[in-house]
């Protein structure tokens, strides 16, 4: 299993010179492109980097598989951890919500499926991200109605299962799915699947809100203050829109109502 550590310094982000010697915080992050990419870019990574820089800190992301990064933080690694479901018990002090994922179902456009709610997945073969049944509202009570259901951490494999028509739908964040589809299309024939098949995304869940947990309660409070300031001046909205627009062909207007 690969782990990535990416330091986002003030210089790398073209930030004011006065922040060049800021304290660097090690942040445990989930390897979830395009939310957090291996080079430290991404929608969520940019939000966190921008907020922390506004607070006077640099950040160093250590990327691990989703849910593994929680366990690592609980075991003592890092100064903070990202992508924590709001209200989830965990070490440290939790911030307010700083990012929302839009979970839904992705499926082949020519499948003939008319999906508007979780109930419409009755009798289908469904794949989802690891831990989905504990995060997506109503899912754990519904899986018995599916023809089959599996959870897996490898979202590229999920996409290949859909393109190979071995599952009917994938549950998860629409941006993550769209990014993997883009990678498979770019890979062409070497991907082993026909990635040019048109796909659709439907937001059948309420947005999932995520917070950060910090070991230092004072830094958690600073994060909340700095986030509120960047949200008020439009910086957060610009970051979110910029990244969502990259995948508009797949997401249409069904992602966080953007």
């Amino acid at each position: 299993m690969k782990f990535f550590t990416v330091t986002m310094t003030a210089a790398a982000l073209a930030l004011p010179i006065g922040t060049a010697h800021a304290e660097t915080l090690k942040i445990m992050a989930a390897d979830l492109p395009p939310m957090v990419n291996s080079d430290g870019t991404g929608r969520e990574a940019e939000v966190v980097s921008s907020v922390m820089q506004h607070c006077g800190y640099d950040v160093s992301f250590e990327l691990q598989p989703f849910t593994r990064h929680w366990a690592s933080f609980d075991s003592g690694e890092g100064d903070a951890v990202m992508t924590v479901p709001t209200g989830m018990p965990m070490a440290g002090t939790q911030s307010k919500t700083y990012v929302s994922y839009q979970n839904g179902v992705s499926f082949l456009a020519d499948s003939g499926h008319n999906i508007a709610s979780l109930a419409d997945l009755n009798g289908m073969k469904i794949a989802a991200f690891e831990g989905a049944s504990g995060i997506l509202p109503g899912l754990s009570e519904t899986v018995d109605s599916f023809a089959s259901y599996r959870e897996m951490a490898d979202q590229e494999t999920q996409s290949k299962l859909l393109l190979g028509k071995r599952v009917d739908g994938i549950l998860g964040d629409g941006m993550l799915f769209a990014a993997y589809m883009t990678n498979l299309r770019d890979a062409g024939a070497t991907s082993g699947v026909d990635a040019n098949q048109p796909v659709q995304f439907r937001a059948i869940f309420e947005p999932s809100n995520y917070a950060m947990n910090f070991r230092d309660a004072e830094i958690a409070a600073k994060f909340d203050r700095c986030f509120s300031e960047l949200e008020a001046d439009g910086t957060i909205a610009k970051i979110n829109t910029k990244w969502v627009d990259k995948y508009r062909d797949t997401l249409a207007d069904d992602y966080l109502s953007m």
Side-chain angles (χ1 to χ4, degrees), residues 73-90:
F73 182 76
D74 265 339
S75 69
E77 289 190 53
D79 300 301
V81 60
M82 297 166 56
T83 328
V84 180
T86 54
M88 177 178 174
M90 184 171 288

Side-chain angles (χ1 to χ4, degrees), residues 111-131:
S111 64
H113 296 312
N114 183 17
I115 303 174
S117 69
L118 186 59
D120 293 328
L121 303 184
N122 183 37
M124 293 187 186
K125 294 174 288 185
I126 301 296
F129 62 90
E130 187 174 353

Side-chain angles (χ1 to χ4, degrees), residues 1-8 25-49 52 59-74 76-85 90 98-99 101 155 176 180 210-215 223:
M1 186 67 66
K2 290 185 178 180
F3 297 91
F4 304 92
T5 300
V6 182
T7 301
M8 301 300 287
L25 300 179
K26 179 180 177 181
I27 299 179
M28 310 307 295
D31 184 14
L32 295 174
M35 299 299 188
V36 186
N37 297 318
S38 60
D39 62 356
T41 63
R43 174 186 166 222
E44 187 176 355
E46 187 172 341
V47 168
V48 172
S49 297
M52 296 313 302
V59 298
S60 174
F61 295 118
E62 180 165 328
L63 277 62
Q64 298 183 357
F66 184 62
T67 74
R68 178 83 60 81
H69 72 304
W70 299 337
S72 294
F73 182 76
D74 265 339
E77 289 190 53
D79 300 301
V81 60
M82 297 166 56
T83 328
V84 180
M90 184 171 288
Y98 72 95
V99 71
Y101 283 29
Q155 299 199 43
L176 270 64
Y180 279 102
Y210 291 101
M212 291 187 64
N213 274 49
F214 293 86
R215 298 207 186 279
F223 180 88

Side-chain angles (χ1 to χ4, degrees), residues 60-257:
S60 174
F61 295 118
E62 180 165 328
L63 277 62
Q64 298 183 357
F66 184 62
T67 74
R68 178 83 60 81
H69 72 304
W70 299 337
S72 294
F73 182 76
D74 265 339
S75 69
E77 289 190 53
D79 300 301
V81 60
M82 297 166 56
T83 328
V84 180
T86 54
M88 177 178 174
M90 184 171 288
T93 299
Q94 189 165 101
S95 74
K96 297 177 181 177
T97 296
Y98 72 95
V99 71
S100 296
Y101 283 29
Q102 180 62 73
N103 289 300
V105 59
S106 300
F107 56 99
L108 296 177
D110 64 359
S111 64
H113 296 312
N114 183 17
I115 303 174
S117 69
L118 186 59
D120 293 328
L121 303 184
N122 183 37
M124 293 187 186
K125 294 174 288 185
I126 301 296
F129 62 90
E130 187 174 353
S133 59
I135 295 176
L136 299 180
L139 179 58
S140 61
E141 296 83 14
T142 309
V143 294
D144 286 344
S145 72
F146 302 158
S148 65
Y149 177 74
R150 65 182 100 175
E151 295 183 359
M152 60 186 70
D154 186 345
Q155 299 199 43
E156 179 176 311
T157 298
Q158 291 180 24
S159 299
K160 288 183 175 181
L161 289 174
L162 179 65
L163 294 169
K165 301 181 180 180
R166 296 173 60 188
V167 298
D168 300 307
I170 298 174
L171 298 182
D173 179 81
M175 271 188 67
L176 270 64
F177 171 76
Y180 279 102
M181 285 297 301
T182 297
N183 292 341
L184 290 172
R185 292 186 185 115
D186 290 345
T190 61
S191 70
V193 292
D194 177 9
N196 291 315
Q197 298 175 76
V199 295
Q200 293 183 334
F201 171 76
R202 291 289 181 271
I204 61 173
F205 300 98
E206 290 296 316
S208 296
N209 297 325
Y210 291 101
M212 291 187 64
N213 274 49
F214 293 86
R215 298 207 186 279
D216 188 325
E218 183 177 345
I219 297 178
K222 289 180 180 179
F223 180 88
D224 284 341
R225 173 180 58 79
C226 292
F227 178 85
S228 294
E229 291 173 359
L230 293 188
E231 186 176 43
D233 72 11
T235 298
I236 301 301
K238 288 178 182 178
I239 294 171
N240 287 327
T241 299
K242 177 184 73 174
W243 283 94
V244 173
D245 280 350
K246 293 176 182 287
Y247 305 99
R248 190 64 66 191
D249 287 350
T250 297
L251 301 175
D253 293 322
D254 213 23
Y255 194 92
L256 298 175
S257 300

